[in-house]
């Protein structure tokens, strides 16, 4: 802990020297990478260990070579990037890492001082702050979708204008229809053209098809994993459920992620039977919140059963027409469209995983998620499962009221 | 009647059905019922609309998939009203997007037709569109623009009435509706296209910078509490546009219009846009005088609770003289004379010695009143003045239900900070800066000003970084304030008033201790006087 503190302080003292901070962050990521490579924690299954390394490396790689990278958000279709060997950097992951380095407060204050609203989602503020300070070197391209989260379009528009970096916004309709698919497909064709132009290389459609095939295989494994998620205990910390977002979203379609899921399925088959109580999370897990860390990480009593965000799409993508297939995948995401879609997915997952309780951590600023809290609460009571919602922030630690959270969390866990 | 909120709503279709479209506003006094249905951290406009729909029993609603808040509003309302429809609004306007939107409109028409059992006649639509398409006047040269989030109608109206310039409303409530009705063979399609061609709002993918032209004399930029869409554009304008720019934040709460209008007025004056003759308030004006130990503050309001003017001056050795002077300045600022004043309420330490007051009221009541008026979500007021500090607990109607004050010494007050600034040899402004990156986390152990001063002297002698000492002092004041809060129990939201609220460092330190943001009014020193003025008005 103290090394981290010293490191944090060095970064903060150098904020006016972006070059240096950049190096320090790279150093931090490299050390983290070597740390997880050499000091294997016995309690962590092989697959998650692999994922841990993969995630750190992916961030490191895109930061190290901004000219071959694109900024995206969690839901952007990165299949194109994978097929063209462009390294994506996604906002949510970068900001989480900065929070891990304890410098999110500085970055958030910077964003706010430039005029960003104090209720804006801190994943976005942290990212904006870092780019305002030029700690984040500008990439060659930016790509976002309009779906799910309001912050995406304005954040990317703002950053693209500021840095003069080309941006493509993919507008995803709220409702599914044939016309909607046509509309998105056309945009995906445009985005591909744009990528070819900016990076000056061709998109090989066969390669894209290969990525989609791999993605389909990966999703099959994901579904298989879910068959065991109810009985087994395989996620030692909350962070891993969040690391899974690298696999279930931005990097899905890559060979490495397929390999990860293969290992994950093997691991869960071998994992011990679940004991204690299991909790299913809605949307995000507060990986930096002390109370949650105390109760859930490496715990025998409480077990993380999963979260709906990792399973927002479980179907197959059309391999014959990957553009159309990806368009459908985007529109049909369970987080897009009416909340009923999300509710149906949660219900499906809960019936499979049979958790003992459901927790929704309402991340400050995330309207799409907290706006549905009471509807999900109703679902939980319909299913007869205790439900708790807590307000806080997954990135900005200052927005968590530890004392209050503790009482409510403890009371809830006692209730189970 | 069918309620809607967005300018992209096909209101002309509704009219063609022979039904009345009504733009929903959110003139709520509380969000109690809304917050039972939707999380309280949602945008205050969306909550207000929800409240409005429940309160007025609105049975038919059409929404657009505008933002996350409205989408969730739709989800929540779905089984609560008789008819609800959500239109998916594309963010682009290429031919495919127009097709999509056209289909959406057809879908809505069919749904509404089925619900009402009424037929739709295209001739009606054509007539309505014809009547609307040609009445757009060219704007004259001197204009100010209202950008950002929607503003309440009454605020827009007051802006229009208070200046001579053209006021162009670019927000969601803009009324410009020009339609292409040439293509009569496919009227609905070109109607859909015309709608998508309206001035793009923030959620659209289009670049909005073309809205800002050189002719504008200024921009009033509105943001709404808990809505994050608009801060980006504001940030961009702030760094780029070389136009006068005023940012305001509203929360669709009736009670803060007064404060906003004062700021808008001042802004219009500063842009050189001549103000129209003020209309005389019929029932006269009402004054609050807060005669504090350090400063004397006066606020004048009109019968509609608009703040007309205010003054803040240091209290001299004779409280009465200062009160006269502050009153005079406020009258002058407002362009009023004493005879225009209907009644005066005095508060503060010196209240008893103000002969021209009609009534005296304690500063506890006045602070509570003023704070609740500025923001009715406030439940705890932390007031740190020059010589004393207090914490006031309000109930849901703004009544004072509990309070605590500091002991009779200057620990944790403005005075404490002043003494320390002098000891450090720096200005009070320098003291007010936030120093978040501390090298060393020093703690001042003594609360007593005299002892703390010697502690500071010895820290200086030890060559400690001045910023760390300032940080330590701000923390000391914060800890005192928070322990006062803890004496009556924590309950948000918190507002901080009094001169020390201008000290960012203290505010930050209190926020970190409470783990909550403090609401800081635009002029934290006048809240007591404002409360007194309100009491003066209500006493009439
Ligand atoms: S937490 Fe919510 S608001 Fe923030 S990036 Fe994710 S979806 Fe968007
Ligand atoms: S922001 Fe745009 S879509 Fe939303 S209500 Fe306003 S005009 Fe309509
Ligand atoms: S104010 Fe903002 S969050 Fe609220 S409804 Fe309008 S766009 Fe949505």
């Amino acid at each position: 802990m103290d090394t981290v503190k010293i490191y944090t302080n060095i970064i903060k003292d150098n904020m006016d020297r972006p070059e240096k901070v950049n190096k320090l962050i790279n150093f931090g990521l490299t050390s983290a990478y070597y740390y997880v490579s050499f000091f294997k924690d016995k309690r962590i299954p092989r697959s998650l260990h692999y994922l841990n390394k993969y995630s750190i490396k992916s961030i490191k790689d895109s930061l190290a070579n901004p000219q071959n990278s694109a900024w995206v958000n969690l839901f952007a279709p990165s299949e194109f990037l994978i097929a063209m060997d462009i390294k994506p950097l996604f906002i949510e992951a970068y900001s989480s890492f900065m929070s891990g380095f304890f410098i999110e407060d500085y970055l958030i204050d910077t964003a706010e001082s430039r005029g960003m609203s104090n209720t804006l989602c801190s994943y976005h503020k942290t990212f904006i702050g870092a780019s305002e300070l030029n700690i984040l070197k500008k990439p060659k391209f930016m790509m976002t979708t309009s779906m799910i989260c309001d912050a995406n379009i304005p954040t990317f528009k703002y950053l693209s204008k500021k840095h003069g970096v080309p941006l493509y916004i993919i507008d995803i309709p709220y409702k599914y229809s044939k016309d909607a698919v046509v509309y998105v497909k056309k945009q995906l064709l445009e985005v591909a053209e744009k990528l070819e132009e900016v990076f000056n290389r061709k998109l090989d459609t066969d390669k894209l098809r290969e990525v989609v095939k791999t993605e389909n295989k990966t999703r099959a494994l994901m579904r298989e994993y879910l068959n065991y998620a109810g009985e087994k205990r395989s996620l030692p910390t909350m962070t891993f459920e969040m690391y899974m977002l690298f696999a279930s979203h931005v990097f899905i379609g890559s060979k490495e992620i397929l390999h990860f899921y293969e290992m994950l399925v093997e691991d869960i088959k071998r994992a011990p039977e679940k004991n204690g109580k299991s909790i299913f999370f809605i949307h995000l897990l507060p990986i930096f919140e002390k109370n949650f860390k105390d109760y859930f990480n490496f715990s025998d009593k409480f077990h993380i059963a999963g979260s709906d965000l990792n399973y927002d799409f479980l179907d197959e993508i059309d391999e014959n027409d990957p553009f159309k297939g990806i368009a459908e995948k985007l529109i049909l995401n369970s987080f897009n469209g009416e909340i009923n879609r999300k509710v149906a997915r949660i219900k499906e997952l809960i019936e499979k995983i049979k958790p003992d309780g459901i927790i929704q951590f309402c991340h400050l600023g995330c309207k799409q998620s907290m706006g549905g809290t009471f509807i999900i609460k109703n679902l939980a009571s319909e299913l007869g499962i205790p439900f708790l919602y807590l307000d806080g922030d997954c990135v900005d630690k200052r927005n968590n009221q530890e004392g209050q959270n503790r009482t409510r969390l403890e009371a809830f866990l006692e209730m189970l | 009647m069918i309620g809607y909120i967005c300018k992209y709503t096909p209101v002309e279709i509704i009219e063609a059905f022979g039904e009345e479209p009504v733009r929903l506003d959110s003139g709520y006094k509380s969000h109690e019922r809304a917050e039972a249905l939707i999380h309280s951290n949602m945008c205050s406009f969306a909550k207000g609309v929800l409240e409005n729909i429940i309160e007025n029993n609105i049975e038919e609603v059409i929404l657009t998939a505008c933002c996350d808040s409205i989408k969730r509003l739709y989800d929540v309302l779905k089984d609560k009203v008789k008819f609800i429809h959500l239109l998916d609004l594309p963010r682009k306007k290429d031919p495919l997007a127009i097709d999509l939107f056209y289909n959406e409109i057809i879908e809505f028409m069919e749904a509404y037709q089925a619900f009402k059992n009424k037929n739709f006649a295209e001739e009606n639509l054509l007539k309505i569109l014809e009547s609307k398409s040609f009445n757009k006047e060219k704007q004259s040269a001197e204009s100010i623009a209202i950008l950002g989030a929607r503003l309440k109608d009454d605020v827009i109206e007051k802006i229009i009435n208070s200046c001579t310039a053209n006021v162009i409303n670019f927000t969601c409530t803009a009324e410009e509706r020009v339609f292409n009705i040439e293509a009569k063979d496919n009227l609905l399609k070109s109607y859909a296209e015309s709608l998508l061609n309206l001035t793009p709002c923030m959620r659209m993918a289009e670049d909005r910078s073309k809205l800002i032209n050189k002719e504008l004399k200024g921009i009033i930029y509105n943001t709404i509490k808990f809505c994050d869409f608009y801060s980006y554009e504001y940030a961009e304008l702030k760094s780029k546009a070389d136009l006068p720019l005023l940012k305001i934040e509203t929360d669709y709460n009736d009670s803060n219009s007064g404060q906003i209008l004062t700021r808008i007025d001042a802004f219009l004056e500063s842009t050189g846009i001549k103000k129209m003759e003020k209309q005389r308030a019929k029932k006269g004006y009402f004054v609050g005088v807060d005669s504090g130990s350090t400063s004397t503050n006066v606020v004048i309001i009109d019968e509609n609770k608009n703040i007309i003017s205010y003054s803040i001056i240091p209290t001299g050795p004779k409280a009465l003289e200062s009160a006269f002077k502050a009153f005079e300045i406020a009258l002058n600022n407002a362009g009023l004379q004493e005879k225009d004043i209907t009644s005066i309420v005095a508060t503060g330490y010196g209240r008893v010695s103000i002969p021209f007051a009609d009534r005296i009221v304690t500063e506890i009541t006045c602070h509570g009143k003023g704070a609740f008026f500025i923001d009715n979500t406030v439940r705890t007021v932390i007031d740190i003045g020059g010589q004393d500090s207090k914490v006031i607990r309000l109930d849901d109607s703004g009544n004072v239900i509990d309070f605590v004050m500091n002991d009779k010494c200057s620990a944790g007050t403005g005075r404490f900070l002043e003494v320390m600034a002098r000891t450090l040899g720096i200005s009070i402004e320098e003291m007010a800066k936030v120093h978040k990156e501390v090298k060393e986390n020093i703690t001042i152990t003594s609360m007593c000003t005299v002892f703390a001063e010697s502690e500071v002297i010895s820290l200086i002698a030890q060559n400690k970084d001045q910023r760390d000492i300032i940080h330590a002092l701000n923390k000391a004041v914060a800890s005192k304030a928070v322990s006062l809060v803890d004496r009556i129990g924590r309950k948000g939201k918190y507002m901080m008033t009094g001169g020390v609220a201008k000290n960012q460092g203290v505010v930050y330190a209190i926020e970190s201790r409470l783990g909550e943001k403090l609401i800081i009014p635009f002029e934290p020193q006048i809240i007591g006087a404002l409360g007194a003025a309100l009491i003066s008005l209500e006493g009439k």
Side-chain angles (χ1 to χ4, degrees):
Chain A
M1 173 63 205
D2 270 330
T3 18
V4 176
K5 241 203 172 128
I6 294 166
Y7 170 68
T8 301
N9 286 338
I10 299 178
I11 299 190
K12 285 189 177 170
D13 284 341
N14 283 292
M15 282 299 188
D16 46 352
R17 273 174 280 174
E19 275 305 320
K20 182 142 190 216
V21 174
N22 215 307
K23 284 205 185 104
L24 283 164
I25 286 175
N26 187 34
F27 169 77
L29 289 167
T30 312
S31 334
Y33 183 75
Y34 285 118
Y35 185 83
V36 299
S37 306
F38 293 126
F39 300 96
K40 284 189 193 159
D41 189 328
K42 291 270 170 336
R43 298 170 293 181
I44 297 169
R46 197 169 63 110
S47 54
L48 295 177
H49 188 258
Y50 177 85
L51 178 66
N52 197 349
K53 272 170 61 183
Y54 179 79
S55 306
I56 298 173
K57 186 168 178 311
S58 78
I59 298 240
K60 229 165 65 73
D61 287 353
S62 53
L63 291 180
N65 188 0
Q67 282 309 296
N68 189 36
S69 87
W71 288 352
V72 298
N73 67 305
L74 183 65
F75 301 102
S78 46
E79 286 88 350
F80 302 99
L81 306 178
I82 296 174
M84 292 174 80
D85 200 28
I86 299 163
K87 304 283 175 226
L89 178 70
F90 69 110
I91 289 191
E92 295 86 344
Y94 179 83
S95 298
S96 286
F97 271 90
M98 294 309 112
S99 188
F101 289 162
F102 290 86
I103 57 169
E104 84 282 3
D105 51 349
Y106 196 100
L107 304 180
I108 287 168
D109 290 345
T110 304
E112 286 182 9
S113 74
R114 307 292 151 102
M116 292 301 144
S117 137
N118 59 1
T119 54
L120 173 66
C121 165
S122 49
Y123 284 100
H124 285 257
K125 272 191 299 201
T126 305
F127 197 80
I128 291 171
S131 95
E132 289 277 2
L133 292 169
N134 297 317
I135 291 169
L136 251 172
K137 291 216 187 94
K138 64 178 189 185
K140 194 125 190 187
F141 189 65
M142 301 183 191
M143 168 172 84
T144 188
T145 63
S146 66
M147 65 205 260
I148 301 169
C149 160
D150 277 347
N152 292 327
I153 293 186
T155 294
F156 279 90
K157 267 200 333 197
Y158 179 81
L159 294 177
S160 132
K161 262 196 165 176
K162 187 172 170 67
H163 297 300
V165 171
L167 157 72
Y168 194 91
I169 295 172
I170 310 168
D171 183 23
I172 310 293
Y174 199 59
K175 301 176 186 169
Y176 179 85
S177 68
K178 278 214 175 71
D179 285 342
V181 176
V182 175
Y183 177 55
V184 177
K185 181 180 166 180
K186 183 187 157 239
Q187 298 180 70
L188 294 180
L189 288 163
E190 278 172 11
V191 100
E193 263 174 42
K194 197 86 198 209
L195 281 164
E196 291 183 333
E197 183 191 314
V198 171
F199 288 92
N200 195 19
R201 63 183 89 142
K202 271 262 161 255
L203 168 68
D204 177 352
T205 318
D206 284 336
K207 210 151 175 219
L208 181 65
R209 204 166 282 131
E210 214 25 64
V211 171
V212 167
K213 272 191 189 146
T214 312
E215 181 166 348
N216 283 338
K217 278 192 217 150
T218 310
R219 278 227 171 75
L221 290 167
M222 225 184 231
R223 293 191 295 266
E224 196 183 339
Y225 170 83
L226 280 174
N227 291 334
Y228 299 95
E231 287 110 49
K232 304 285 194 163
R233 182 160 56 89
S234 73
L235 283 165
T237 73
M238 296 192 303
T239 311
F240 284 111
E241 182 67 27
M242 290 281 89
Y243 264 141
M244 296 249 267
L245 292 175
F246 281 81
S248 60
H249 289 76
V250 179
F251 295 94
I252 193 165
S254 70
K255 292 274 181 269
E256 290 87 347
I257 291 304
L258 177 65
H259 182 53
F260 158 68
Y261 273 101
E262 284 163 357
M263 287 194 285
L264 185 70
V265 171
E266 275 172 40
D267 279 339
I268 198 165
K269 282 183 188 161
R270 281 201 304 261
E273 296 296 310
K274 163 192 155 188
N275 55 350
K277 302 288 181 192
S278 68
I279 303 288
F280 185 80
F281 283 88
I282 303 295
H283 193 212
L284 300 167
L285 286 78
I287 56 178
F288 301 112
E289 213 276 356
K290 187 169 178 306
N291 300 309
F292 279 80
K293 286 203 300 203
D294 289 352
Y295 274 99
F296 290 99
N297 289 355
F298 300 113
S299 151
D300 283 333
K301 278 164 90 185
F302 300 105
H303 151 78
I304 301 140
S307 70
D308 63 334
L309 189 56
N310 269 315
Y311 306 99
D312 53 2
F313 184 78
L314 288 172
D315 299 326
E316 291 232 323
I317 297 175
D318 185 349
E319 294 176 356
N320 299 318
D321 186 348
F323 286 93
K324 174 169 162 256
I326 295 170
E328 281 176 330
K329 162 186 144 173
L330 294 170
I331 307 171
L332 287 173
N333 186 299
S334 68
F335 276 60
N336 188 38
E338 275 186 36
I339 200 152
N340 289 350
R341 250 203 225 167
K342 186 159 143 179
V343 168
R345 174 53 46 86
I346 293 173
K347 200 166 165 210
E348 194 185 306
L349 291 169
I350 298 265
E351 278 164 0
K352 219 172 184 128
I353 300 177
K354 300 194 181 59
D356 299 296
I358 304 175
I359 294 182
Q360 178 172 8
F361 189 76
C362 296
H363 171 70
L364 186 71
C366 184
K367 318 289 190 283
Q368 63 88 4
S369 163
M370 67 186 148
T373 308
F374 298 165
I375 295 173
I376 290 164
K377 190 176 180 191
N378 287 344
L379 171 75
S381 84
E382 212 177 274
L383 299 172
I385 302 176
F387 175 88
L388 171 76
Y389 80 89
L390 279 178
D391 293 338
D393 201 307
C394 295
V395 181
D396 191 346
K397 301 178 203 86
R398 295 170 298 183
N399 287 334
N400 287 322
Q401 291 180 303
E402 237 172 76
Q404 218 188 66
N405 280 357
R406 183 157 207 106
T407 315
R408 294 176 59 194
L409 181 64
E410 272 172 8
F412 179 73
L413 296 176
E414 280 162 12
M415 223 167 83
L416 297 179
Chain B
M1 170 197 152
I2 175 163
Y4 73 98
I5 57 165
C6 166
K7 69 182 178 194
Y8 292 105
T9 309
V11 288
E12 289 75 15
I13 302 260
I14 300 168
E15 286 165 356
F17 267 114
E19 292 288 327
E20 184 200 1
V22 176
R23 185 153 53 73
L24 297 176
D25 230 323
S26 65
Y28 58 91
K29 292 269 183 282
S30 88
H31 336 131
E32 220 175 293
R33 283 167 295 192
E35 286 186 3
L37 295 172
I38 203 160
H39 195 289
S40 55
N41 286 356
M42 297 300 279
C43 121
S44 44
F45 170 73
K47 277 190 298 187
V49 167
L50 182 53
E51 195 75 38
N52 182 354
I53 290 172
I54 309 169
E55 180 165 329
N56 298 314
N57 246 324
I58 292 169
E59 291 174 338
E60 301 172 17
V61 180
I62 175 169
L63 298 174
T64 44
C66 157
C67 61
D68 292 338
S69 299
I70 298 302
K71 288 174 195 162
R72 292 297 171 247
L73 176 65
Y74 166 79
D75 291 325
V76 165
L77 278 173
K78 219 171 156 198
D79 50 6
K80 302 214 162 40
V81 291
K82 289 198 179 133
F83 176 85
I84 182 150
H85 194 89
L86 183 83
L87 277 183
D88 193 2
L89 177 65
R91 291 173 177 79
K92 297 186 170 175
K93 48 180 195 195
D94 60 20
L96 290 177
I98 294 167
D99 281 350
L100 262 189
F101 193 48
Y102 164 71
N103 289 342
E104 281 292 309
I105 291 178
I106 301 278
E107 207 182 279
F108 160 68
M109 280 168 58
E110 284 168 2
Y112 198 58
Q113 202 158 325
F115 171 74
K116 280 274 161 173
N117 209 0
K118 245 187 190 177
N119 276 331
F120 176 81
E122 210 166 295
E123 313 88 77
N124 294 350
L125 177 64
L126 185 61
K127 255 186 249 149
I128 293 164
L129 295 183
E130 275 169 347
S131 70
K132 285 194 183 179
S133 294
F134 296 105
N135 51 12
K136 204 190 173 200
E137 282 166 36
K138 190 88 201 82
Q139 311 285 7
S140 81
E142 194 165 79
S143 305
I144 61 159
I146 305 177
L147 257 88
R150 55 180 73 236
L151 264 177
K152 281 188 86 111
D153 284 346
D154 61 332
V155 178
I156 301 253
E157 215 167 279
K158 283 190 186 145
I159 298 176
I160 293 173
N161 291 336
S162 65
C163 71
T164 47
N166 226 320
V167 176
I168 314 173
N169 178 2
F170 283 132
T171 74
C172 308
T173 60
E175 289 301 342
E176 38 97 57
R177 291 179 91 80
V178 199
F179 299 102
N180 169 19
I181 44 170
E182 302 296 288
K184 287 203 179 89
D185 51 326
N186 204 343
L187 187 67
L188 278 170
K189 189 74 155 272
S190 48
Y191 175 62
E193 185 175 355
S194 307
L195 282 179
L196 283 183
N197 274 327
L198 294 177
T199 309
C201 67
M202 260 314 291
R203 76 180 286 288
M204 296 304 189
E206 227 174 312
D207 185 11
R208 303 212 321 159
S209 49
K210 59 174 188 275
L211 297 179
I212 319 292
N213 61 41
K214 286 275 164 294
E215 249 108 89
L216 291 175
K217 292 282 278 180
I219 299 169
I220 297 174
Y221 205 94
N222 182 37
T223 57
I224 287 185
K225 191 129 198 117
F226 283 113
C227 166
D228 312 315
F229 256 141
Y230 299 97
S231 62
Y232 297 89
E233 192 174 56
Y234 168 71
E236 207 181 300
L237 281 174
K238 194 176 76 153
S239 67
K240 276 216 228 97
D242 43 4
L243 282 170
L245 181 65
L246 171 74
K247 182 189 178 208
I248 52 180
E249 184 180 79
T250 58
D251 67 351
Y252 263 81
N253 180 336
D254 280 337
S255 59
N256 71 16
S257 302
Q259 189 208 117
I260 282 157
L261 286 169
T262 312
R263 300 189 47 204
I264 290 176
D265 267 356
F267 174 71
L268 293 175
E269 278 166 11
S270 71
T271 55
I273 292 175
K274 216 183 91 222
K275 279 168 63 181
M276 290 192 143
E277 266 306 292
K278 257 211 189 81
Q279 280 190 354
R280 290 261 135 199
K282 288 187 215 76
K283 291 186 201 131
Y285 297 89
F286 304 84
V287 173
V289 182
D290 180 0
S291 168
S293 53
T294 318
S295 76
T296 301
N297 320 311
V298 169
V299 169
I300 305 181
I301 61 172
D302 69 10
E303 67 210 25
N304 296 320
K305 303 188 179 173
N306 297 318
I307 299 174
I308 302 299
S309 78
Y310 62 85
S311 61
I312 304 169
I313 62 160
T315 305
K318 288 188 183 128
L320 179 58
E321 254 170 43
S322 307
F324 268 124
K325 203 161 132 212
F327 183 31
E328 203 183 294
I329 296 172
L331 280 174
N332 279 341
N333 286 349
L336 294 173
Q337 289 174 332
E338 218 180 310
K339 65 171 172 33
D340 301 319
I341 305 300
T342 310
S343 80
I344 301 174
V345 168
T347 186
Y349 280 145
R351 63 184 180 278
V352 281
S353 48
I354 296 173
F356 59 86
D358 300 300
R359 236 176 106 191
I360 54 174
V361 179
T362 64
E363 57 268 35
I364 301 282
T365 308
C366 290
H367 264 97
K369 187 108 199 155
F372 195 77
F373 173 75
I374 297 281
D375 189 329
N376 67 8
T377 61
V378 169
R379 295 296 172 270
T380 305
V381 184
I382 303 170
D383 175 68
I384 308 185
Q387 301 275 13
D388 72 331
S389 52
K390 46 187 168 294
V391 173
I392 304 164
R393 165 62 35 80
L394 303 175
D395 68 9
D396 294 347
S397 325
N399 302 313
V400 176
I401 45 171
D402 198 359
F403 67 91
V404 280
M405 285 179 76
N406 67 333
D407 353 318
K408 268 210 163 17
C409 83
S410 62
T413 64
R415 174 89 188 126
F416 174 85
L417 290 169
E418 248 173 54
V419 172
M420 298 307 155
R422 219 176 42 220
T423 312
L424 282 167
I426 57 173
S427 68
I428 203 83
E429 286 74 33
E430 195 54 42
M431 282 289 281
K433 289 198 187 134
V434 210
H435 294 294
K436 288 179 203 167
E437 333 96 74
V438 281
K439 287 215 190 76
E440 191 183 345
N441 203 355
I442 305 173
T443 303
I444 306 275
T445 44
S446 177
M447 261 302 154
C448 167
T449 312
V450 182
F451 290 117
E453 192 176 4
S454 48
E455 254 188 272
V456 169
I457 292 171
S458 85
L459 288 170
I460 298 171
Q462 288 166 42
N463 237 339
K464 296 284 181 194
D465 190 317
Q466 195 181 64
R467 285 181 305 179
D468 292 349
I469 305 179
I470 296 173
H471 182 76
L473 290 165
N474 288 341
K475 271 195 323 187
V477 174
S479 106
K480 188 90 183 157
V482 173
S483 71
L484 275 186
V485 171
D486 285 339
R487 267 162 55 192
I488 52 173
R490 295 190 180 190
K491 192 168 185 202
K493 313 254 182 69
Y494 298 87
M495 178 181 282
M496 183 164 168
T497 62
V500 177
K502 291 178 177 169
N503 180 316
Q504 291 280 327
V506 173
V507 170
Y508 180 75
I510 296 181
E511 283 176 343
S512 340
R513 285 202 163 233
L514 284 177
E516 261 206 61
K517 284 260 168 212
L518 300 177
I519 301 167
I520 311 290
F522 72 107
E523 185 36 270
Q525 272 179 284
I526 64 163
I527 302 306
L530 171 63
L534 289 166
I535 293 171
S536 158
L537 165 69
E538 281 160 18
K540 266 282 117 180

